[in-house]
Short mmCIF file of all heavy atoms in Angstrom, two decimals:
data_model
loop_
_atom_site.label_atom_id
_atom_site.label_comp_id
_atom_site.label_asym_id
_atom_site.label_seq_id
_atom_site.Cartn_x
_atom_site.Cartn_y
_atom_site.Cartn_z
N GLY A 1 21.65 -27.23 -166.50
CA GLY A 1 20.99 -26.56 -167.61
C GLY A 1 19.64 -25.98 -167.21
O GLY A 1 19.28 -24.87 -167.60
N LEU A 2 18.88 -26.74 -166.41
CA LEU A 2 17.59 -26.25 -165.93
C LEU A 2 17.78 -25.03 -165.03
O LEU A 2 17.05 -24.03 -165.16
CB LEU A 2 16.86 -27.36 -165.16
CG LEU A 2 15.54 -26.95 -164.51
CD1 LEU A 2 14.54 -26.50 -165.57
CD2 LEU A 2 14.96 -28.10 -163.68
N LEU A 3 18.74 -25.10 -164.14
CA LEU A 3 18.99 -23.97 -163.25
C LEU A 3 19.42 -22.73 -164.04
O LEU A 3 19.07 -21.60 -163.68
CB LEU A 3 20.07 -24.34 -162.22
CG LEU A 3 19.68 -25.42 -161.20
CD1 LEU A 3 20.85 -25.73 -160.29
CD2 LEU A 3 18.47 -24.98 -160.38
N LEU A 4 20.18 -22.95 -165.11
CA LEU A 4 20.60 -21.83 -165.96
C LEU A 4 19.39 -21.17 -166.62
O LEU A 4 19.30 -19.94 -166.69
CB LEU A 4 21.59 -22.31 -167.01
CG LEU A 4 22.11 -21.24 -167.98
CD1 LEU A 4 22.84 -20.13 -167.22
CD2 LEU A 4 23.04 -21.86 -169.02
N LEU A 5 18.45 -21.99 -167.11
CA LEU A 5 17.23 -21.44 -167.71
C LEU A 5 16.44 -20.62 -166.70
O LEU A 5 15.96 -19.52 -167.01
CB LEU A 5 16.37 -22.57 -168.27
CG LEU A 5 16.82 -23.20 -169.59
CD1 LEU A 5 15.98 -24.44 -169.89
CD2 LEU A 5 16.71 -22.20 -170.73
N TYR A 6 16.30 -21.15 -165.50
CA TYR A 6 15.61 -20.40 -164.45
C TYR A 6 16.35 -19.09 -164.16
O TYR A 6 15.72 -18.04 -163.98
CB TYR A 6 15.52 -21.23 -163.17
CG TYR A 6 14.29 -22.10 -163.07
CD1 TYR A 6 14.40 -23.49 -162.98
CD2 TYR A 6 13.02 -21.54 -163.04
CE1 TYR A 6 13.27 -24.29 -162.87
CE2 TYR A 6 11.89 -22.34 -162.93
CZ TYR A 6 12.02 -23.70 -162.85
OH TYR A 6 10.89 -24.49 -162.75
N ALA A 7 17.67 -19.15 -164.10
CA ALA A 7 18.46 -17.95 -163.79
C ALA A 7 18.26 -16.87 -164.84
O ALA A 7 18.15 -15.67 -164.51
CB ALA A 7 19.94 -18.31 -163.68
N VAL A 8 18.19 -17.26 -166.11
CA VAL A 8 17.97 -16.29 -167.19
C VAL A 8 16.59 -15.64 -167.04
O VAL A 8 16.45 -14.41 -167.14
CB VAL A 8 18.11 -16.96 -168.57
CG1 VAL A 8 17.70 -15.99 -169.67
CG2 VAL A 8 19.55 -17.43 -168.78
N VAL A 9 15.57 -16.45 -166.78
CA VAL A 9 14.22 -15.92 -166.61
C VAL A 9 14.16 -14.98 -165.41
O VAL A 9 13.58 -13.88 -165.49
CB VAL A 9 13.19 -17.07 -166.46
CG1 VAL A 9 11.82 -16.51 -166.09
CG2 VAL A 9 13.10 -17.87 -167.75
N PHE A 10 14.77 -15.38 -164.29
CA PHE A 10 14.76 -14.52 -163.11
C PHE A 10 15.52 -13.23 -163.37
O PHE A 10 15.14 -12.15 -162.90
CB PHE A 10 15.39 -15.25 -161.91
CG PHE A 10 14.59 -16.42 -161.43
CD1 PHE A 10 15.21 -17.55 -160.93
CD2 PHE A 10 13.20 -16.41 -161.49
CE1 PHE A 10 14.48 -18.63 -160.49
CE2 PHE A 10 12.45 -17.50 -161.06
CZ PHE A 10 13.10 -18.61 -160.56
N GLY A 11 16.60 -13.32 -164.14
CA GLY A 11 17.36 -12.12 -164.48
C GLY A 11 16.52 -11.13 -165.27
O GLY A 11 16.57 -9.92 -165.02
N VAL A 12 15.73 -11.65 -166.21
CA VAL A 12 14.84 -10.79 -166.99
C VAL A 12 13.80 -10.14 -166.09
O VAL A 12 13.49 -8.94 -166.21
CB VAL A 12 14.16 -11.60 -168.11
CG1 VAL A 12 13.10 -10.75 -168.82
CG2 VAL A 12 15.19 -12.10 -169.12
N LEU A 13 13.25 -10.91 -165.15
CA LEU A 13 12.23 -10.38 -164.25
C LEU A 13 12.79 -9.28 -163.34
O LEU A 13 12.16 -8.22 -163.15
CB LEU A 13 11.63 -11.50 -163.40
CG LEU A 13 10.85 -12.58 -164.15
CD1 LEU A 13 10.37 -13.66 -163.19
CD2 LEU A 13 9.67 -11.98 -164.89
N ILE A 14 13.96 -9.52 -162.77
CA ILE A 14 14.56 -8.52 -161.90
C ILE A 14 14.92 -7.26 -162.67
O ILE A 14 14.71 -6.13 -162.21
CB ILE A 14 15.82 -9.10 -161.21
CG1 ILE A 14 15.44 -10.27 -160.29
CG2 ILE A 14 16.53 -8.02 -160.40
CD1 ILE A 14 14.48 -9.91 -159.19
N ARG A 15 15.46 -7.45 -163.87
CA ARG A 15 15.80 -6.28 -164.70
C ARG A 15 14.53 -5.51 -165.07
O ARG A 15 14.55 -4.28 -165.13
CB ARG A 15 16.53 -6.75 -165.96
CG ARG A 15 17.09 -5.60 -166.81
CD ARG A 15 17.95 -6.12 -167.93
NE ARG A 15 18.48 -5.05 -168.75
CZ ARG A 15 19.54 -4.32 -168.48
NH1 ARG A 15 20.21 -4.56 -167.34
NH2 ARG A 15 19.96 -3.36 -169.27
N SER A 16 13.45 -6.23 -165.31
CA SER A 16 12.19 -5.57 -165.63
C SER A 16 11.71 -4.73 -164.45
O SER A 16 11.17 -3.63 -164.64
CB SER A 16 11.13 -6.62 -165.99
OG SER A 16 11.53 -7.38 -167.11
N ALA A 17 11.89 -5.25 -163.23
CA ALA A 17 11.50 -4.50 -162.04
C ALA A 17 12.36 -3.24 -161.88
O ALA A 17 11.85 -2.17 -161.50
CB ALA A 17 11.63 -5.38 -160.80
N MET A 18 13.65 -3.35 -162.19
CA MET A 18 14.55 -2.22 -162.05
C MET A 18 14.30 -1.14 -163.09
O MET A 18 14.50 0.06 -162.84
CB MET A 18 16.00 -2.70 -162.14
CG MET A 18 16.41 -3.63 -160.99
SD MET A 18 18.08 -4.31 -161.22
CE MET A 18 19.06 -2.81 -161.19
N GLN A 19 13.84 -1.54 -164.28
CA GLN A 19 13.63 -0.59 -165.37
C GLN A 19 12.18 -0.14 -165.51
O GLN A 19 11.85 0.59 -166.44
CB GLN A 19 14.10 -1.22 -166.68
CG GLN A 19 15.59 -1.50 -166.75
CD GLN A 19 16.01 -2.11 -168.07
OE1 GLN A 19 15.20 -2.69 -168.78
NE2 GLN A 19 17.29 -1.97 -168.41
N ALA A 20 11.32 -0.55 -164.59
CA ALA A 20 9.91 -0.16 -164.67
C ALA A 20 9.76 1.35 -164.60
O ALA A 20 10.53 2.03 -163.91
CB ALA A 20 9.12 -0.82 -163.54
N PRO A 21 8.78 1.91 -165.31
CA PRO A 21 8.62 3.36 -165.35
C PRO A 21 8.11 3.97 -164.05
O PRO A 21 8.21 5.19 -163.86
CB PRO A 21 7.62 3.58 -166.49
CG PRO A 21 6.89 2.29 -166.61
CD PRO A 21 7.86 1.23 -166.23
N ASP A 22 7.55 3.16 -163.14
CA ASP A 22 7.05 3.70 -161.88
C ASP A 22 7.07 2.61 -160.81
O ASP A 22 7.41 1.45 -161.06
CB ASP A 22 5.64 4.29 -162.04
CG ASP A 22 4.65 3.29 -162.63
OD1 ASP A 22 4.86 2.08 -162.47
OD2 ASP A 22 3.67 3.72 -163.26
N ARG A 23 6.72 3.02 -159.58
CA ARG A 23 6.76 2.09 -158.44
C ARG A 23 5.77 0.94 -158.61
O ARG A 23 6.06 -0.20 -158.25
CB ARG A 23 6.46 2.86 -157.15
CG ARG A 23 6.65 2.02 -155.88
CD ARG A 23 6.17 2.79 -154.67
NE ARG A 23 6.98 3.99 -154.47
CZ ARG A 23 8.06 4.04 -153.67
NH1 ARG A 23 8.42 2.94 -153.02
NH2 ARG A 23 8.73 5.15 -153.52
N MET A 24 4.62 1.22 -159.17
CA MET A 24 3.61 0.18 -159.37
C MET A 24 4.15 -0.94 -160.25
O MET A 24 4.07 -2.13 -159.91
CB MET A 24 2.36 0.80 -160.01
CG MET A 24 1.26 -0.18 -160.37
SD MET A 24 0.28 -0.66 -158.95
CE MET A 24 -0.92 -1.75 -159.73
N GLY A 25 4.72 -0.56 -161.38
CA GLY A 25 5.28 -1.56 -162.28
C GLY A 25 6.43 -2.32 -161.66
O GLY A 25 6.56 -3.53 -161.84
N SER A 26 7.27 -1.61 -160.92
CA SER A 26 8.40 -2.25 -160.28
C SER A 26 7.95 -3.28 -159.25
O SER A 26 8.50 -4.39 -159.19
CB SER A 26 9.28 -1.18 -159.60
OG SER A 26 10.40 -1.78 -158.98
N LEU A 27 6.93 -2.94 -158.45
CA LEU A 27 6.46 -3.86 -157.43
C LEU A 27 5.76 -5.08 -158.05
O LEU A 27 5.88 -6.20 -157.54
CB LEU A 27 5.51 -3.14 -156.48
CG LEU A 27 6.17 -2.16 -155.51
CD1 LEU A 27 5.13 -1.35 -154.74
CD2 LEU A 27 7.09 -2.89 -154.54
N LEU A 28 5.03 -4.86 -159.13
CA LEU A 28 4.39 -5.99 -159.81
C LEU A 28 5.43 -6.98 -160.34
O LEU A 28 5.32 -8.20 -160.13
CB LEU A 28 3.52 -5.50 -160.96
CG LEU A 28 2.19 -4.84 -160.59
CD1 LEU A 28 1.54 -4.22 -161.82
CD2 LEU A 28 1.24 -5.86 -159.96
N ALA A 29 6.45 -6.47 -161.02
CA ALA A 29 7.50 -7.34 -161.56
C ALA A 29 8.28 -8.02 -160.44
O ALA A 29 8.61 -9.21 -160.53
CB ALA A 29 8.44 -6.54 -162.45
N LEU A 30 8.56 -7.26 -159.37
CA LEU A 30 9.29 -7.84 -158.24
C LEU A 30 8.47 -8.92 -157.56
O LEU A 30 9.00 -9.96 -157.15
CB LEU A 30 9.65 -6.75 -157.24
CG LEU A 30 10.38 -7.22 -155.97
CD1 LEU A 30 11.73 -7.81 -156.33
CD2 LEU A 30 10.54 -6.07 -154.98
N GLY A 31 7.16 -8.70 -157.44
CA GLY A 31 6.30 -9.69 -156.82
C GLY A 31 6.28 -11.00 -157.60
O GLY A 31 6.38 -12.08 -157.01
N VAL A 32 6.16 -10.92 -158.91
CA VAL A 32 6.17 -12.13 -159.74
C VAL A 32 7.52 -12.82 -159.64
O VAL A 32 7.60 -14.06 -159.52
CB VAL A 32 5.84 -11.78 -161.21
CG1 VAL A 32 6.00 -13.01 -162.10
CG2 VAL A 32 4.42 -11.22 -161.32
N ALA A 33 8.60 -12.05 -159.68
CA ALA A 33 9.94 -12.64 -159.56
C ALA A 33 10.11 -13.34 -158.21
O ALA A 33 10.66 -14.46 -158.14
CB ALA A 33 11.00 -11.55 -159.72
N SER A 34 9.63 -12.71 -157.14
CA SER A 34 9.75 -13.29 -155.80
C SER A 34 8.95 -14.57 -155.68
O SER A 34 9.39 -15.55 -155.07
CB SER A 34 9.29 -12.28 -154.75
OG SER A 34 10.04 -11.09 -154.80
N LEU A 35 7.75 -14.57 -156.26
CA LEU A 35 6.90 -15.75 -156.22
C LEU A 35 7.58 -16.94 -156.89
O LEU A 35 7.68 -18.03 -156.31
CB LEU A 35 5.57 -15.44 -156.93
CG LEU A 35 4.64 -16.61 -157.22
CD1 LEU A 35 4.14 -17.22 -155.91
CD2 LEU A 35 3.47 -16.18 -158.09
N LEU A 36 8.08 -16.74 -158.10
CA LEU A 36 8.69 -17.83 -158.85
C LEU A 36 10.02 -18.26 -158.24
O LEU A 36 10.35 -19.45 -158.21
CB LEU A 36 8.87 -17.42 -160.30
CG LEU A 36 7.58 -17.09 -161.06
CD1 LEU A 36 7.89 -16.64 -162.48
CD2 LEU A 36 6.63 -18.28 -161.08
N LEU A 37 10.79 -17.30 -157.73
CA LEU A 37 12.07 -17.63 -157.12
C LEU A 37 11.88 -18.46 -155.86
O LEU A 37 12.58 -19.45 -155.63
CB LEU A 37 12.84 -16.35 -156.80
CG LEU A 37 14.22 -16.53 -156.15
CD1 LEU A 37 15.14 -17.29 -157.09
CD2 LEU A 37 14.83 -15.18 -155.79
N PHE A 38 10.92 -18.06 -155.01
CA PHE A 38 10.66 -18.81 -153.78
C PHE A 38 10.25 -20.24 -154.10
O PHE A 38 10.75 -21.20 -153.49
CB PHE A 38 9.56 -18.10 -152.98
CG PHE A 38 9.28 -18.71 -151.64
CD1 PHE A 38 10.01 -18.35 -150.53
CD2 PHE A 38 8.27 -19.67 -151.49
CE1 PHE A 38 9.76 -18.92 -149.28
CE2 PHE A 38 8.01 -20.24 -150.25
CZ PHE A 38 8.75 -19.86 -149.14
N HIS A 39 9.35 -20.39 -155.06
CA HIS A 39 8.90 -21.73 -155.44
C HIS A 39 10.06 -22.58 -155.94
O HIS A 39 10.18 -23.76 -155.57
CB HIS A 39 7.85 -21.62 -156.54
CG HIS A 39 6.45 -21.48 -156.02
ND1 HIS A 39 5.51 -22.46 -156.10
CD2 HIS A 39 5.83 -20.45 -155.40
CE1 HIS A 39 4.38 -22.08 -155.57
NE2 HIS A 39 4.55 -20.83 -155.13
N THR A 40 10.89 -22.00 -156.79
CA THR A 40 11.99 -22.76 -157.38
C THR A 40 13.00 -23.20 -156.34
O THR A 40 13.39 -24.38 -156.28
CB THR A 40 12.69 -21.92 -158.47
OG1 THR A 40 11.74 -21.52 -159.46
CG2 THR A 40 13.79 -22.72 -159.13
N VAL A 41 13.42 -22.27 -155.50
CA VAL A 41 14.43 -22.57 -154.49
C VAL A 41 13.92 -23.61 -153.49
O VAL A 41 14.60 -24.59 -153.18
CB VAL A 41 14.88 -21.29 -153.76
CG1 VAL A 41 15.76 -21.62 -152.57
CG2 VAL A 41 15.61 -20.36 -154.72
N VAL A 42 12.70 -23.41 -152.99
CA VAL A 42 12.16 -24.33 -151.98
C VAL A 42 11.89 -25.70 -152.59
O VAL A 42 12.19 -26.73 -151.99
CB VAL A 42 10.88 -23.75 -151.35
CG1 VAL A 42 10.22 -24.77 -150.44
CG2 VAL A 42 11.20 -22.48 -150.57
N ASN A 43 11.32 -25.74 -153.79
CA ASN A 43 11.00 -27.03 -154.41
C ASN A 43 12.25 -27.86 -154.65
O ASN A 43 12.30 -29.05 -154.27
CB ASN A 43 10.26 -26.81 -155.72
CG ASN A 43 9.96 -28.12 -156.45
OD1 ASN A 43 10.78 -28.65 -157.18
ND2 ASN A 43 8.77 -28.66 -156.22
N ILE A 44 13.25 -27.27 -155.27
CA ILE A 44 14.47 -28.02 -155.55
C ILE A 44 15.18 -28.40 -154.26
O ILE A 44 15.71 -29.51 -154.12
CB ILE A 44 15.39 -27.22 -156.50
CG1 ILE A 44 14.72 -27.07 -157.87
CG2 ILE A 44 16.75 -27.89 -156.64
CD1 ILE A 44 15.50 -26.24 -158.86
N SER A 45 15.16 -27.49 -153.28
CA SER A 45 15.81 -27.78 -152.00
C SER A 45 15.15 -28.95 -151.30
O SER A 45 15.84 -29.80 -150.71
CB SER A 45 15.75 -26.54 -151.10
OG SER A 45 16.51 -25.48 -151.64
N MET A 46 13.82 -29.06 -151.37
CA MET A 46 13.17 -30.16 -150.65
C MET A 46 13.37 -31.49 -151.37
O MET A 46 13.37 -32.55 -150.73
CB MET A 46 11.68 -29.86 -150.45
CG MET A 46 10.80 -29.93 -151.65
SD MET A 46 9.10 -29.42 -151.25
CE MET A 46 8.24 -29.99 -152.75
N THR A 47 13.58 -31.47 -152.69
CA THR A 47 13.81 -32.74 -153.39
C THR A 47 15.20 -33.30 -153.12
O THR A 47 15.41 -34.51 -153.25
CB THR A 47 13.62 -32.58 -154.91
OG1 THR A 47 14.54 -31.61 -155.40
CG2 THR A 47 12.20 -32.16 -155.25
N VAL A 48 16.15 -32.43 -152.76
CA VAL A 48 17.51 -32.91 -152.49
C VAL A 48 17.79 -32.97 -150.99
O VAL A 48 18.91 -33.27 -150.58
CB VAL A 48 18.57 -32.02 -153.19
CG1 VAL A 48 18.39 -32.06 -154.69
CG2 VAL A 48 18.51 -30.58 -152.68
#
């Protein structure tokens, strides 16, 4: 359930990057998505 919640949030972030009106907006959204995705994957991976 937790992973599903993260997946929904990441999906919104990636879609926001794809639909941004310009490159600046797309890179900002992609950067935030990458930051949170890296943290989530590495954190959960190290606990297991």
Side-chain angles (χ1 to χ4, degrees):
L2 176 61
L3 294 177
L4 179 60
L5 284 171
Y6 271 119
V8 173
V9 172
F10 293 146
V12 173
L13 295 178
I14 296 300
R15 187 173 180 82
S16 301
M18 295 174 63
Q19 295 181 338
D22 54 26
R23 187 187 296 267
M24 176 79 178
S26 180
L27 287 172
L28 285 172
L30 178 63
V32 174
S34 301
L35 170 65
L36 298 178
L37 180 62
F38 185 86
H39 271 251
T40 303
V41 171
V42 173
N43 177 275
I44 294 177
S45 295
M46 72 184 193
T47 60
V48 298

